[in-house]
Amino acid sequence: DNSCTLSLSSPSLSSATLSQSKKSTMTRKLLIITGMAAASMVAVTAFQQTPYKLKTPPAAQYSSSRLSIGKVFGDNTTKEQQLPKDVKDAISKCRGAVQKALENRLSRMDVEMPVGANFGVEKKKSSGGRKSSLASLTDGDSSSEEGLTMEKLDTSNRELARLFVEMFQPLGGQHISAVFNDESLADEARALWKGDLSVECNIVAIDRKGKRSRGGLMGGKKKKKKALGFASKMAEELEDDGASGPFVLPKDTEVALFVAPGPKELIAIERICNEVGMGTCVILLNARLSRVEKYASNDARKLFEGFEPVWFLGAASQEDAPGCLMHRAYPGKWLLARKPKVGAPKTIAIQDDIFTGEDCAEAYASMEVSDLEKTSEKLAMNVAEWFK
């Protein structure tokens, strides 16, 4: 029998009858299943209290039965797909979507959160008393007038990566790799995550030749090279890394989390996917694939179009549907929703595939708006205000 049993029982924290012997055992288990509580305040009692029997999947799909960790995250299934109410709910629903994808043996996933989303994981100097509302998903400090900065973007992407590293801790840190674009970003994560048992993992960078500054990459003088095409130039920059060779995932990696990769990094990711095969779970975090207009090759386009968008929450085309956003949680359908000034967000369209600009315009033009909403909308701002 190739099956194994993973017990992640979580007694109710409100019980006053826990024996002293059980408390020590529970403490260690809570390191695994409550890692995300710092960011989302998700109740521990949401996890299953019965052991989950893991069955070894076919060798052609996964190299280890440990990757089948669906029930580790608890049961987040709902009868009807809905927009998340706040940050806590968004993270919980995202975990549920990833869980379902793992249960269905998907090993190529795409996850996208709003640009600059504030998950509240890292300590902020002036975060006291801040409400955990959907408003804090992007630029959570509503009092700030400086807008979106590179620092906020990096923080948001790093916080999302941390949440996913915590999510997969049952696999063991040596089997998880958080892959950043360059050493500067990787170093920040190493410094902030150092000594935290809830985020044990391999922290690596695709570009190891230099460190990024505000103006680009900091490093030695580059030799003049002959003119190359778009794909060839980026491939050379990524592959030609001196004696160290091209980027490779650490040995025994079962889950690779690529953090906010751009078109340049997608070239390396394409090669990695081809090398490791479907036995390694590859998850793209905020890759913004829907905005990529040009791939290095047709094979690359085919590869990345095959990544399943297990979670998407972001603004729709504001030119075609002002004040609207799109949402999808695997295995559900795509939602197009509008936030009136008064009341909760309202879904105005549902379909199987991602909404194109044309789809958004058609749905927006045909939606029904009450007289009360029309009056209130005079004071409404753009979609960014929804999240602030």
Side-chain angles (χ1 to χ4, degrees):
D1 185 2
N2 291 326
S3 63
C4 60
T5 301
L6 176 63
S7 178
L8 286 175
S9 57
S10 174
S12 173
L13 295 182
S14 61
S15 173
T17 60
L18 287 173
S19 66
Q20 190 64 33
S21 61
K22 289 184 179 179
K23 288 182 180 179
S24 61
T25 302
M26 180 185 71
T27 300
R28 179 171 179 79
K29 292 177 180 178
L30 289 180
L31 288 176
I32 297 176
I33 63 176
T34 64
M36 298 186 72
S40 60
M41 306 295 289
V42 177
V44 178
T45 53
F47 292 87
Q48 297 292 327
Q49 299 192 29
T50 56
Y52 173 57
K53 190 176 183 61
L54 300 177
K55 295 183 178 180
T56 305
Q61 294 185 339
Y62 292 108
S63 59
S64 170
S65 62
R66 289 176 297 183
L67 194 54
S68 178
I69 58 177
K71 292 299 181 181
V72 168
F73 306 144
D75 187 2
N76 290 287
T77 57
T78 56
K79 294 181 179 179
E80 183 179 350
Q81 187 175 348
Q82 299 177 341
L83 287 164
K85 300 185 297 292
D86 49 33
V87 176
K88 165 185 168 182
D89 193 35
I91 295 171
S92 178
K93 282 183 166 65
C94 180
R95 292 195 305 172
V98 173
Q99 167 190 310
K100 190 64 179 179
L102 290 172
E103 290 174 354
N104 290 337
R105 304 296 188 259
L106 296 183
S107 64
R108 297 291 182 267
M109 307 183 203
D110 182 40
V111 173
E112 184 168 331
M113 288 285 189
V115 176
N118 172 24
F119 300 99
V121 177
E122 298 177 3
K123 293 181 179 180
K124 307 274 192 313
K125 291 183 179 179
S126 59
S127 61
R130 182 178 302 156
K131 227 176 179 181
S132 178
S133 64
L134 190 61
S136 63
L137 268 181
T138 60
D139 194 13
D141 189 357
S142 58
S143 63
S144 174
E145 297 180 355
E146 59 182 321
L148 193 61
T149 64
M150 184 59 70
E151 182 181 0
K152 288 182 179 180
L153 277 175
D154 291 342
T155 298
S156 175
N157 293 328
R158 187 171 57 247
E159 286 186 331
L160 181 60
R162 180 182 181 121
L163 291 172
F164 268 76
V165 170
E166 293 175 344
M167 191 184 297
F168 283 96
Q169 278 302 296
L171 291 178
Q174 72 274 24
H175 299 295
I176 308 168
S177 291
V179 187
F180 291 86
N181 293 345
D182 58 58
E183 278 296 337
S184 176
L185 297 172
D187 283 343
E188 287 186 70
R190 292 185 187 108
L192 290 168
W193 301 356
K194 184 178 180 181
D196 192 336
L197 296 179
S198 68
V199 284
E200 287 188 336
C201 67
N202 302 299
I203 301 177
V204 294
I206 293 178
D207 184 357
R208 294 152 290 162
K209 292 185 293 184
K211 293 189 177 182
R212 188 181 60 180
S213 66
R214 291 183 180 179
L217 289 174
M218 299 187 297
K221 294 182 179 180
K222 293 184 178 180
K223 296 180 180 179
K224 291 185 178 180
K225 301 177 182 178
K226 62 180 181 179
L228 298 172
F230 172 78
S232 299
K233 185 176 180 180
M234 291 197 298
E236 184 181 56
E237 290 179 0
L238 289 168
E239 306 298 341
D240 183 15
D241 198 14
S244 61
F247 169 76
V248 294
L249 287 175
K251 185 181 179 181
D252 297 328
T253 295
E254 294 188 22
V255 175
L257 305 169
F258 288 92
V259 187
K264 177 180 175 181
E265 289 74 31
L266 291 181
I267 293 177
I269 297 174
E270 178 190 3
R271 176 176 54 77
I272 291 296
C273 288
N274 292 332
E275 289 176 354
V276 302
M278 303 304 285
T280 299
C281 183
V282 177
I283 302 179
L284 306 181
L285 302 177
N286 287 343
R288 316 293 178 192
L289 292 181
S290 60
R291 304 181 188 181
V292 177
E293 297 180 353
K294 185 176 182 180
Y295 288 95
S297 66
N298 289 331
D299 288 339
R301 177 177 294 278
K302 182 177 180 181
L303 170 69
F304 291 111
E305 286 181 349
F307 272 71
E308 183 70 31
V310 298
W311 176 267
F312 185 101
L313 180 62
S317 171
Q318 294 304 288
E319 294 181 358
D320 301 300
C324 294
L325 62 71
M326 291 189 297
H327 173 53
R328 197 249 177 162
Y330 179 86
K333 298 188 177 188
W334 287 84
L335 308 181
L336 181 65
R338 173 179 174 274
K339 174 66 173 70
K341 191 65 178 179
V342 178
K346 295 183 178 180
T347 299
I348 61 175
I350 301 176
Q351 64 183 40
D352 293 330
D353 301 316
I354 187 172
F355 287 86
T356 63
E358 185 177 345
D359 293 331
C360 291
E362 183 179 346
Y364 189 80
S366 60
M367 71 178 182
E368 296 181 0
V369 182
S370 67
D371 291 337
L372 175 61
E373 288 179 39
K374 289 178 181 178
T375 302
S376 300
E377 287 303 306
K378 293 179 181 180
L379 302 176
M381 299 178 68
N382 58 28
V383 71
E385 188 65 22
W386 183 348
F387 296 107
K388 288 182 178 179

